[in-house]
Amino acid sequence: MKKGLMSFNILITIVRLIFVMIAMAIVVFMIMHYVVVSIDVFDLESNLFAQRMIYSQNSISYKDSETGRLYPGTIDLNNFNQGTLNGLLNRYIYYGEGSNYAAAKLDLSYLNDTLIRSAYYDEEWFNNWVERARVGWTGIGQVKSKVNEVYVLIKDGDKMIPGKLKIEVLMPNA
Amino acid sequence: MKKRGFSRQTLGKKGAEHELYYIIMELLIVVLIAVLMFGFVKNLGTNTFFEKLYMSRDLALVVNTIYAAPGDVQYTYSNDKVNMIKFYFRFNLQKATIDEKEINKEPSSTANYYYYGDVYDEKNPLSNYLIKPKEIKFIKTDNLLKIGNEKLVFKESVKASYPEIYTKNIEWKDEKKIDIAYAADSEQDLAKGLKEEFGESVKNIAVIKESEQKSGNILIVLKVDATSGDGVLELVVQSDKTGNSRNSRKLAGLIKERIERPCEISVNAYINEVKSSSLDQKYNYDVVLAVKLGKNAAGSSQCFYKAIVEGVKNYYEG
């Protein structure tokens, strides 16, 4: 066999193999596309996380100490601080010792967007993740981000002031 | 006859043999991938991993939702899409774990998913282990979630409804319907602070034992857990001597509420049950308010006793 012809034959074989591989990959992709094996609950989970902060006890919402009644959606300015959020991290929204399952930044502002105060749930991991989250990639090993913005009442002493609370929740896609 | 095919024209007989090998190789690849894919799809249809995956997420989100609710919650979880009695469920260390075999006893593929919870979930790692339940009951009181079967819910739902206590009495201290007991030296500091407020009502437990049988007083026993060594203090509350756990829980709840917010130290309070025999057979201690004081134990006694005073006052005033 001539050397030139042999090289040509090998080249054709490689092309054929590549073609077979592409054809099989398409078949595999089509099968995988129709079979759902992963369940993505990030949207729901991040919404619940935000609502846990706004509407439940032992958080930033105002609670009448006399009656024990909680006012969901009314933010007590005395409670809106890093100390309260550290309490959430270490006890009430607790994912286990040393776990880094979620992080969030809370921005409380007036209706005209003047920022009153910011606080973090797990500030260290929020800062670690925030740039990766903003890239927008959401595959395995990336970080997903969701921003919730709600209108709230801010209780500052005896005054009730309308305002906005922005919660940016970050969760890694492990 | 004209030879057909590219290789026959270019490579001759030997080349044609080579081509046959290539075709066989291609066919083998196709068959291999087809077998693998069929196996994969068949496996999905028959094994339960997807069901476990789905239920672990579903249950973890149920726990998250219950914790996010502002008040006390009772919820019964059942699932008409999955046959729950095939599985074992475990809720601990902030994870919902599901398997069709006994978890951690037999090797198998468990599915689990994280939820957030109260730190005290870690205290009872085996209490939330459910074996092939038809449905799962969740009950949250005082921000503490319990998960279990119907018996648990019945027991807890009775406790969840605190009774109204109508004891309007402005001169509550003069009534002296309270005994506060201490036993160990480690409880002396706390007892000192309480003495200023309650006077002679604060006694050594040995003295109280003799007197309590005659009186109908509230009894609070201060007890430091010496065995753990991490500054856990147990406040045993019994609101009367009839073993009325509702009144005990009411008083414990009032004190707990006053410990959590004003004491901005590492205080974690939760209400738990103890057996009456754990301290003394004579008493029917049915509610314990356990307060974790951590390393700041020494500096927290002032705040802690104020919480007791305010709680008792509120209990009497209604």
Side-chain angles (χ1 to χ4, degrees):
Chain A
M1 190 189 297
K2 284 179 182 177
K3 265 189 179 177
L5 275 176
M6 200 169 161
S7 303
F8 182 72
N9 196 31
I10 289 168
L11 198 69
I12 291 294
T13 307
I14 290 168
V15 171
R16 282 173 62 170
L17 278 174
I18 290 170
F19 181 76
V20 169
M21 293 295 183
I22 290 170
M24 290 316 299
I26 289 168
V27 172
V28 170
F29 172 78
M30 284 172 74
I31 292 171
M32 297 298 281
H33 184 72
Y34 284 100
V35 178
V36 179
V37 286
S38 64
I39 306 163
D40 188 359
V41 291
F42 169 73
D43 272 2
L44 185 58
E45 205 175 8
S46 56
N47 276 338
L48 272 173
F49 185 85
Q51 285 172 19
R52 169 72 177 86
M53 290 193 172
I54 304 167
Y55 300 121
S56 65
Q57 292 191 40
N58 306 306
S59 185
I60 53 176
S61 287
Y62 169 64
K63 186 182 176 185
D64 190 324
S65 58
E66 292 300 315
T67 61
R69 182 185 165 193
L70 183 91
Y71 291 79
T74 301
I75 308 300
D76 188 343
L77 207 54
N78 292 329
N79 284 347
F80 192 88
N81 54 46
Q82 199 52 51
T84 304
L85 289 210
N86 288 343
L88 291 176
L89 174 67
N90 293 322
R91 175 168 177 190
Y92 296 110
I93 304 182
Y94 181 74
Y95 282 104
E97 186 71 39
S99 75
N100 47 355
Y101 191 79
K105 185 186 180 194
L106 287 77
D107 293 327
L108 187 65
S109 57
Y110 296 116
L111 284 182
N112 62 6
D113 290 331
T114 310
L115 183 69
I116 301 169
R117 207 176 287 164
S118 291
Y120 292 86
Y121 172 91
D122 203 343
E123 185 173 3
E124 184 189 348
W125 279 101
F126 186 91
N127 290 330
N128 285 345
W129 287 335
V130 69
E131 293 307 324
R132 281 166 65 194
R134 284 178 187 157
V135 171
W137 295 344
T138 56
I140 299 288
Q142 300 302 321
V143 178
K144 290 184 175 180
S145 157
K146 187 167 174 74
V147 177
N148 289 275
E149 194 168 61
V150 288
Y151 289 97
V152 293
L153 279 175
I154 302 162
K155 187 177 184 304
D156 185 6
D158 292 333
K159 287 186 288 183
M160 288 286 195
I161 309 156
K164 282 193 286 189
L165 179 67
K166 184 177 142 191
I167 304 179
E168 184 177 6
V169 181
L170 306 183
M171 286 181 176
N173 187 12
Chain B
M1 199 169 89
K2 193 179 177 183
K3 287 181 182 174
R4 296 173 68 191
F6 174 75
S7 294
R8 277 182 190 273
Q9 287 172 15
T10 54
L11 300 173
K13 203 176 175 185
K14 209 169 184 182
E17 277 175 19
H18 279 283
E19 193 200 359
L20 189 67
Y21 294 140
Y22 291 136
I23 290 170
I24 289 168
M25 197 168 74
E26 284 168 2
L27 280 173
L28 279 175
I29 293 170
V30 170
V31 169
L32 186 72
I33 291 177
V35 167
L36 285 174
M37 286 313 295
F38 275 117
F40 171 71
V41 173
K42 194 185 169 201
N43 197 29
L44 278 178
T46 53
N47 85 8
T48 56
F49 189 70
F50 184 77
E51 288 173 322
K52 289 184 283 186
L53 207 66
Y54 152 67
M55 264 199 298
S56 63
R57 278 154 176 71
D58 206 25
L59 284 164
L61 289 173
V62 165
V63 174
N64 282 354
T65 310
I66 289 171
Y67 270 118
D72 293 348
V73 175
Q74 286 187 41
Y75 180 75
T76 304
Y77 178 90
S78 59
N79 199 318
D80 55 1
K81 294 181 177 68
V82 179
N83 188 8
M84 287 173 64
I85 58 168
K86 285 194 291 188
F87 301 105
Y88 292 79
F89 297 79
R90 191 176 62 184
F91 297 85
N92 82 316
L93 300 175
Q94 282 74 36
K95 258 192 295 188
T97 307
I98 297 164
D99 203 343
E100 66 265 52
K101 293 174 185 169
E102 280 200 64
I103 295 164
N104 286 350
K105 287 195 175 174
E106 297 173 57
S108 68
S109 57
T110 56
N112 58 57
Y113 203 72
Y114 276 92
Y115 56 79
Y116 56 69
D118 196 285
V119 68
Y120 291 109
D121 264 15
E122 292 191 345
K123 296 262 176 197
N124 301 304
L126 296 174
S127 62
N128 296 326
Y129 185 60
L130 305 172
I131 300 164
K132 302 183 174 183
K134 282 182 187 168
E135 54 188 25
I136 300 172
K137 308 269 185 179
F138 297 85
I139 183 160
K140 188 184 82 168
T141 49
D142 283 338
N143 222 46
L144 191 69
L145 182 66
K146 290 199 173 178
I147 305 165
N149 54 25
E150 284 175 35
K151 286 178 190 171
L152 167 88
V153 168
F154 175 73
K155 196 174 147 195
E156 290 300 314
S157 61
V158 173
K159 286 181 186 164
S161 53
Y162 293 150
E164 292 294 326
I165 298 175
Y166 301 100
T167 50
K168 292 272 182 192
N169 181 7
I170 296 164
E171 301 299 321
W172 63 279
K173 272 197 286 182
D174 295 339
E175 289 292 313
K176 294 190 188 304
K177 284 189 173 180
I178 185 161
D179 288 324
I180 297 170
Y182 61 91
D185 290 344
S186 50
E187 293 137 13
Q188 289 274 5
D189 277 353
L190 196 62
K192 270 182 204 167
L194 289 166
K195 264 187 178 176
E196 289 174 20
E197 202 66 38
F198 292 105
E200 292 306 308
S201 294
V202 182
K203 300 165 191 163
N204 190 291
I205 195 162
V207 181
I208 299 228
K209 276 181 194 170
E210 292 167 13
S211 63
E212 70 83 33
Q213 289 174 338
K214 297 169 194 168
S215 69
N217 290 3
I218 286 176
L219 176 67
I220 295 174
V221 180
L222 310 172
K223 180 176 171 266
V224 172
D225 185 358
T227 54
S228 67
D230 62 354
V232 174
L233 187 142
E234 285 182 0
L235 168 70
V236 180
V237 178
Q238 184 176 294
S239 57
D240 52 39
K241 303 297 184 289
T242 60
N244 185 335
S245 77
R246 287 186 169 201
N247 285 354
S248 301
R249 285 187 73 83
K250 173 76 179 176
L251 180 55
L254 288 168
I255 295 171
K256 175 178 175 280
E257 199 174 276
R258 279 150 188 81
I259 287 170
E260 283 181 331
R261 279 290 173 199
C263 303
E264 289 182 354
I265 46 175
S266 60
V267 168
N268 292 316
Y270 63 99
I271 298 174
N272 205 355
E273 277 185 273
V274 290
K275 301 284 181 192
S276 58
S277 58
S278 71
L279 284 173
D280 194 304
Q281 293 283 357
K282 286 181 186 173
Y283 298 89
N284 187 14
Y285 297 111
D286 51 9
V287 174
V288 165
L289 179 66
V291 183
K292 191 173 183 182
L293 296 170
K295 289 173 185 172
N296 298 315
S300 64
S301 59
Q302 190 79 357
C303 178
F304 185 74
Y305 93 74
K306 276 184 182 169
I308 296 175
V309 172
E310 288 299 312
V312 172
K313 185 181 174 188
N314 200 259
Y315 176 82
Y316 269 117
E317 290 181 353

